[in-house]
Amino acid sequence: MKIFIFNSVLFLCSLGVRAQAGFYNHGMDITIPTGNAIHISGDYVHDSIVGKKQEKISSTGELYLTGDFINNTYDSVFNTKGTVIFNGNSSQQIISKKPTFFYNLKVGKSADKVELLQTIHVASELEIVSGNIHLNSYDINLDSTGTLLGETNTSRIYGEDGVIRASNRPLSGKLLDIAGLGFGLDGNLTSGTIERGHSFRAGAGTGGILRYYKITSTIDSGVVEHLSSLWIDYFNSNESVGKNHGKLAVWQSDNNGVLWDPLFTDPPTDTISGTVELLTRDVAVTDGLTIFTIAERECDQLPQVNLGLDLVYLCEGDTLT
């Protein structure tokens, strides 16, 4: 069965399981042409009929959703370009049995968040107009073509587990705000992946802010490449909780977060959001192992070292932690 949507039709049907309006698509092929939209008050549930061809949404238009996006199949929901817009006033979820692929995804909520219950891929634009996205231990993959737009201090991506990732990107030359992730560089790296996480990195000063970046290039792991400059943007009131804003600087780890070194950059000046810059200085980057975060340049007090009560024997090359 095929359904064609024209002239911005409001398309609703009953979904008794949730006791609210919504649309349960049980094996229908839906087409949304350019300039047209479906508005669903409630959940969109995508399902299939056993033994029959998996139908999909063919869309170059818009799908508005106030409830959850639920994919009960093991296949993708969309087979063309189009935009899914979450515009509910309470928490909404993306639920799927396998990672779900979107072309354009927009969050324009009057309140609350969109929460992931599965990893997603966004091929073109991930735009945050209002509301937040909670990673909830899952990832957002922008792959080689996606871009994050509109993120602010009050409408942003967060979650201490899970990352947002841009892969197969050129990393040579001067690049500002790669894929909208708030990270820029000037260097001779080959193409690779920028991964942004939102967790506290222990060991960087008194502890990093709730943001870090990991760089992995397409060349063999462990190869050292070089940057002459880098820039990191962050949101002060949400990500630098408890930190002295005027003391913040970039810290670097070249062993996947075990040991950290400060790079003594100039502190940011904006009290809402900031950019920490490291200019005209050679920075060696070890592929697959280098992580950057922001932390206070100096510790307020010396760390306490507890050597324990037992005798510890160290051999050449051993470390004490």
CSV table of all heavy atoms in Angstrom, one decimal, residues 128 131-134 151-159 196 198 210-211 235 238-239:
chain,number,residue,atom,x,y,z
A,128,ILE,N,19.9,22.0,16.1
A,128,ILE,CA,19.2,22.2,17.4
A,128,ILE,C,18.7,23.6,17.4
A,128,ILE,O,19.5,24.5,17.6
A,128,ILE,CB,20.2,21.8,18.5
A,128,ILE,CG1,20.8,20.4,18.3
A,128,ILE,CG2,19.5,21.9,19.8
A,128,ILE,CD1,21.8,20.0,19.4
A,131,GLY,N,15.6,23.0,22.8
A,131,GLY,CA,15.6,21.7,23.4
A,131,GLY,C,17.0,21.1,23.4
A,131,GLY,O,18.0,21.7,22.8
A,132,ASN,N,17.2,19.9,23.9
A,132,ASN,CA,18.5,19.2,24.0
A,132,ASN,C,18.4,17.8,23.5
A,132,ASN,O,17.3,17.3,23.3
A,132,ASN,CB,18.9,19.2,25.5
A,132,ASN,CG,19.1,20.6,26.1
A,132,ASN,OD1,20.1,21.3,25.8
A,132,ASN,ND2,18.2,21.0,27.0
A,133,ILE,N,19.6,17.3,23.2
A,133,ILE,CA,19.7,15.8,22.9
A,133,ILE,C,20.6,15.2,23.9
A,133,ILE,O,21.7,15.6,24.2
A,133,ILE,CB,20.4,15.7,21.5
A,133,ILE,CG1,19.6,16.3,20.4
A,133,ILE,CG2,20.6,14.2,21.2
A,133,ILE,CD1,20.2,16.2,19.0
A,134,HIS,N,20.0,14.1,24.6
A,134,HIS,CA,20.7,13.3,25.6
A,134,HIS,C,21.2,12.1,24.9
A,134,HIS,O,20.4,11.3,24.4
A,134,HIS,CB,19.8,13.0,26.7
A,134,HIS,CG,20.5,12.2,27.8
A,134,HIS,ND1,19.8,11.2,28.5
A,134,HIS,CD2,21.7,12.2,28.3
A,134,HIS,CE1,20.6,10.7,29.4
A,134,HIS,NE2,21.8,11.3,29.3
A,151,GLU,N,23.9,24.7,17.9
A,151,GLU,CA,24.1,24.4,19.3
A,151,GLU,C,24.4,25.6,20.2
A,151,GLU,O,25.2,26.4,19.7
A,151,GLU,CB,25.2,23.3,19.5
A,151,GLU,CG,25.2,22.6,20.8
A,151,GLU,CD,26.3,21.5,20.8
A,151,GLU,OE1,27.3,21.6,20.1
A,151,GLU,OE2,26.1,20.6,21.6
A,152,THR,N,23.8,25.7,21.3
A,152,THR,CA,24.0,26.9,22.2
A,152,THR,C,24.2,26.4,23.7
A,152,THR,O,24.0,25.2,23.9
A,152,THR,CB,22.9,27.9,22.2
A,152,THR,OG1,21.7,27.3,22.7
A,152,THR,CG2,22.6,28.4,20.7
A,153,ASN,N,24.4,27.3,24.6
A,153,ASN,CA,24.5,26.9,26.0
A,153,ASN,C,23.2,26.3,26.5
A,153,ASN,O,23.3,25.5,27.5
A,153,ASN,CB,24.9,28.2,26.8
A,153,ASN,CG,25.4,27.8,28.1
A,153,ASN,OD1,26.4,27.1,28.2
A,153,ASN,ND2,24.8,28.4,29.2
A,154,THR,N,22.1,26.7,26.0
A,154,THR,CA,20.8,26.2,26.5
A,154,THR,C,20.2,25.1,25.7
A,154,THR,O,19.2,24.5,26.1
A,154,THR,CB,19.8,27.3,26.7
A,154,THR,OG1,19.7,28.0,25.4
A,154,THR,CG2,20.3,28.3,27.7
A,155,SER,N,20.7,24.9,24.4
A,155,SER,CA,20.2,23.8,23.5
A,155,SER,C,21.4,23.1,23.0
A,155,SER,O,22.1,23.6,22.0
A,155,SER,CB,19.3,24.5,22.4
A,155,SER,OG,18.2,25.1,23.0
A,156,ARG,N,21.7,21.9,23.5
A,156,ARG,CA,22.9,21.3,23.2
A,156,ARG,C,22.8,19.8,23.2
A,156,ARG,O,21.8,19.2,23.6
A,156,ARG,CB,24.0,21.8,24.2
A,156,ARG,CG,23.7,21.4,25.6
A,156,ARG,CD,24.6,22.1,26.6
A,156,ARG,NE,24.2,21.7,28.0
A,156,ARG,CZ,24.8,20.7,28.6
A,156,ARG,NH1,25.8,20.1,28.1
A,156,ARG,NH2,24.5,20.4,29.8
A,157,ILE,N,23.9,19.1,22.9
A,157,ILE,CA,24.1,17.7,23.1
A,157,ILE,C,24.9,17.4,24.3
A,157,ILE,O,25.9,18.1,24.6
A,157,ILE,CB,24.8,17.1,21.9
A,157,ILE,CG1,24.0,17.3,20.6
A,157,ILE,CG2,25.1,15.6,22.1
A,157,ILE,CD1,24.7,16.9,19.3
A,158,TYR,N,24.4,16.5,25.1
A,158,TYR,CA,25.1,16.2,26.4
A,158,TYR,C,24.9,14.7,26.7
A,158,TYR,O,24.2,14.0,26.1
A,158,TYR,CB,24.6,17.1,27.5
A,158,TYR,CG,23.2,16.7,28.0
A,158,TYR,CD1,23.0,15.9,29.1
A,158,TYR,CD2,22.0,17.1,27.3
A,158,TYR,CE1,21.7,15.5,29.6
A,158,TYR,CE2,20.8,16.8,27.7
A,158,TYR,CZ,20.6,16.0,28.9
A,158,TYR,OH,19.3,15.6,29.3
A,159,GLY,N,25.6,14.3,27.8
A,159,GLY,CA,25.6,12.9,28.2
A,159,GLY,C,27.0,12.3,28.4
A,159,GLY,O,27.8,12.3,27.5
A,196,ARG,N,33.8,13.8,19.8
A,196,ARG,CA,33.6,14.7,20.9
A,196,ARG,C,32.8,13.9,22.0
A,196,ARG,O,31.7,13.4,21.7
A,196,ARG,CB,32.8,15.9,20.5
A,196,ARG,CG,32.7,17.0,21.6
A,196,ARG,CD,31.9,18.2,21.2
A,196,ARG,NE,30.5,18.1,21.5
A,196,ARG,CZ,29.5,18.9,21.2
A,196,ARG,NH1,29.8,19.9,20.4
A,196,ARG,NH2,28.3,18.8,21.6
A,198,HIS,N,31.5,14.0,26.3
A,198,HIS,CA,31.0,15.0,27.3
A,198,HIS,C,31.2,14.5,28.7
A,198,HIS,O,30.3,14.8,29.6
A,198,HIS,CB,29.5,15.3,27.0
A,198,HIS,CG,29.3,15.6,25.6
A,198,HIS,ND1,29.0,14.7,24.6
A,198,HIS,CD2,29.3,16.8,24.9
A,198,HIS,CE1,28.9,15.2,23.4
A,198,HIS,NE2,29.0,16.5,23.6
A,210,LEU,N,33.3,19.1,31.1
A,210,LEU,CA,32.5,18.0,30.5
A,210,LEU,C,32.6,18.1,29.0
A,210,LEU,O,31.5,18.2,28.3
A,210,LEU,CB,31.1,18.1,31.0
A,210,LEU,CG,30.9,17.9,32.5
A,210,LEU,CD1,29.4,18.0,32.9
A,210,LEU,CD2,31.4,16.5,33.0
A,211,ARG,N,33.8,18.1,28.5
A,211,ARG,CA,34.0,18.0,27.0
A,211,ARG,C,35.4,17.6,26.7
A,211,ARG,O,36.3,18.1,27.4
A,211,ARG,CB,33.7,19.4,26.4
A,211,ARG,CG,33.9,19.4,24.9
A,211,ARG,CD,33.6,20.8,24.3
A,211,ARG,NE,32.2,21.0,24.2
A,211,ARG,CZ,31.5,21.6,23.2
A,211,ARG,NH1,32.2,22.0,22.2
A,211,ARG,NH2,30.2,21.8,23.3
A,235,PHE,N,30.8,25.3,26.4
A,235,PHE,CA,29.7,26.0,27.0
A,235,PHE,C,30.0,26.1,28.5
A,235,PHE,O,30.0,25.1,29.2
A,235,PHE,CB,28.3,25.4,26.8
A,235,PHE,CG,28.0,25.3,25.3
A,235,PHE,CD1,27.8,24.1,24.7
A,235,PHE,CD2,27.9,26.4,24.6
A,235,PHE,CE1,27.5,24.0,23.3
A,235,PHE,CE2,27.6,26.4,23.2
A,235,PHE,CZ,27.4,25.2,22.6
A,238,ASN,N,27.4,25.1,31.6
A,238,ASN,CA,27.0,23.7,31.7
A,238,ASN,C,28.1,22.7,31.6
A,238,ASN,O,28.0,21.6,32.2
A,238,ASN,CB,26.0,23.3,30.5
A,238,ASN,CG,24.6,23.9,30.7
A,238,ASN,OD1,24.0,23.6,31.6
A,238,ASN,ND2,24.2,24.7,29.7
A,239,GLU,N,29.2,23.1,31.0
A,239,GLU,CA,30.3,22.1,30.9
A,239,GLU,C,31.5,22.4,31.7
A,239,GLU,O,32.3,21.5,32.0
A,239,GLU,CB,30.8,22.1,29.4
A,239,GLU,CG,29.7,21.6,28.5
A,239,GLU,CD,30.1,21.6,27.0
A,239,GLU,OE1,31.0,22.4,26.6
A,239,GLU,OE2,29.6,20.8,26.2
